[in-house]
Amino acid sequence: MRLRLQTDLVTDPTTASAPPAQLGYDELPRLIALMTGDEKHSQSADSTLDVLWVLYDRVLNVAPATADDPDRDRFLLSKGHGPTAYYAVLAAKGFIPIETLHTFGAFDSPLGYHPDRMLIRGVEISSGSLGHGLPIGVGVALGLHAQERRSRIVVLVGDAELEEGSNHEAIALAGRMGLDRLTVVVVDNRSATYGWPGGIAARFELEGWAAAAVDGRDHDALAAALTAEHHGQPNVVVAQVERGA
């Protein structure tokens, strides 16, 4: 598929939505390559690439035209310090103009080293300070439940990030309250300092979560785990990738 720059797209992603860019998974490396600089955190971005694609291509009920719909699904990137893969997927799906990728990290660019929800259409939380996304996701799930909305909430975290104490509290609360619209994806590159007896999935299961561990590069396995029924329980998908990725 030929990369086509969308020169007719709006350049202010906060004021209007861009039409779908119609780019596929195979174009993502090229889109990532448009972003240059010393703060790309390439390994962190690469570890999340397949999960992000499967979510936006096959799981989440959200599109540029529905980015403000109160019944949209919500995706929260807690692992926000390596956002280039995220930006590439958003561009491929039409949330941001492809030419904006060239401005990554520039002073006046909406594409910062951490994603900013006030500057980028479709971004739900400003993130990068690890340990915040999962607690926020629990709050979003509770708020949407109070509004009687059935939107899906998906939070992506890294395995080392789970060592933050705020995550342990969020895991326990979500399990006790049976927040079955909440899914957490743990990108596991075995970078945690201490780990968990029995593995990451067992840590969540102990608190009442449904859990699955899959190959984090296998799109079909990811899609199946992310869409599995888990009535009365929050869901965790441990996406296992290469060590140190």
Side-chain angles (χ1 to χ4, degrees):
M1 182 178 296
R2 181 172 61 89
L3 181 65
R4 178 168 61 90
L5 293 181
Q6 301 287 315
T7 54
D8 57 328
L9 301 186
V10 295
T11 56
D12 183 357
T14 65
T15 59
S17 61
Q22 303 298 323
L23 295 179
Y25 174 79
D26 291 342
E27 295 289 349
L28 295 181
R30 188 182 307 194
L31 296 181
I32 293 173
L34 297 177
M35 293 173 275
T36 60
D38 296 332
E39 298 293 333
K40 285 185 68 171
H41 292 281
S42 296
Q43 287 184 313
S44 179
D46 179 68
S47 69
T48 65
L49 184 62
D50 294 277
V51 171
L52 289 167
W53 179 257
V54 171
L55 283 169
Y56 278 90
D57 193 55
R58 300 171 61 172
V59 177
L60 295 172
N61 180 27
V62 64
T66 60
D68 299 317
D69 188 328
D71 289 315
R72 71 190 182 280
D73 288 343
R74 271 76 167 178
F75 171 70
L76 283 60
L77 179 69
S78 188
K79 189 178 178 179
H81 57 286
T84 54
Y86 186 34
Y87 295 159
V89 171
L90 290 177
K93 291 300 181 181
F95 287 88
I96 58 178
I98 291 173
E99 62 268 24
T100 305
L101 300 177
H102 290 284
T103 72
F104 171 72
F107 176 75
D108 58 350
S109 174
L111 306 183
Y113 297 137
H114 295 175
D116 188 327
R117 72 180 185 88
M118 301 301 293
L119 299 178
I120 309 171
R121 186 168 186 79
V123 171
E124 297 286 353
I125 61 170
S126 302
S127 60
S129 181
L130 298 178
H132 293 214
L134 178 49
I136 293 173
V138 170
V140 171
L142 289 170
L144 292 175
H145 178 74
Q147 298 174 42
E148 299 184 346
R149 300 189 187 279
R150 295 292 295 167
S151 303
R152 185 194 305 269
I153 305 98
V154 179
V155 183
L156 190 155
V157 305
D159 62 316
E161 182 180 359
L162 290 180
E163 294 180 339
E164 299 280 356
S166 56
N167 282 320
H168 292 279
E169 295 179 25
I171 292 167
L173 179 61
R176 301 297 191 280
M177 300 196 72
L179 300 180
D180 58 7
R181 302 306 294 168
L182 175 65
T183 293
V184 170
V185 185
V186 183
V187 176
D188 179 18
N189 62 0
R190 275 79 76 198
S191 62
T193 302
Y194 302 109
W196 297 267
I200 295 173
R203 167 73 185 94
F204 282 80
E205 287 176 322
L206 183 66
E207 302 291 355
W209 290 59
V214 300
D215 182 344
R217 304 300 187 186
D218 185 328
H219 292 191
D220 289 337
L222 285 167
L226 288 165
T227 57
E229 295 292 338
H230 47 96
H231 295 297
Q233 294 177 289
N235 184 38
V236 63
V237 176
V238 181
Q240 299 168 334
V241 298
E242 304 81 15
R243 182 180 297 275

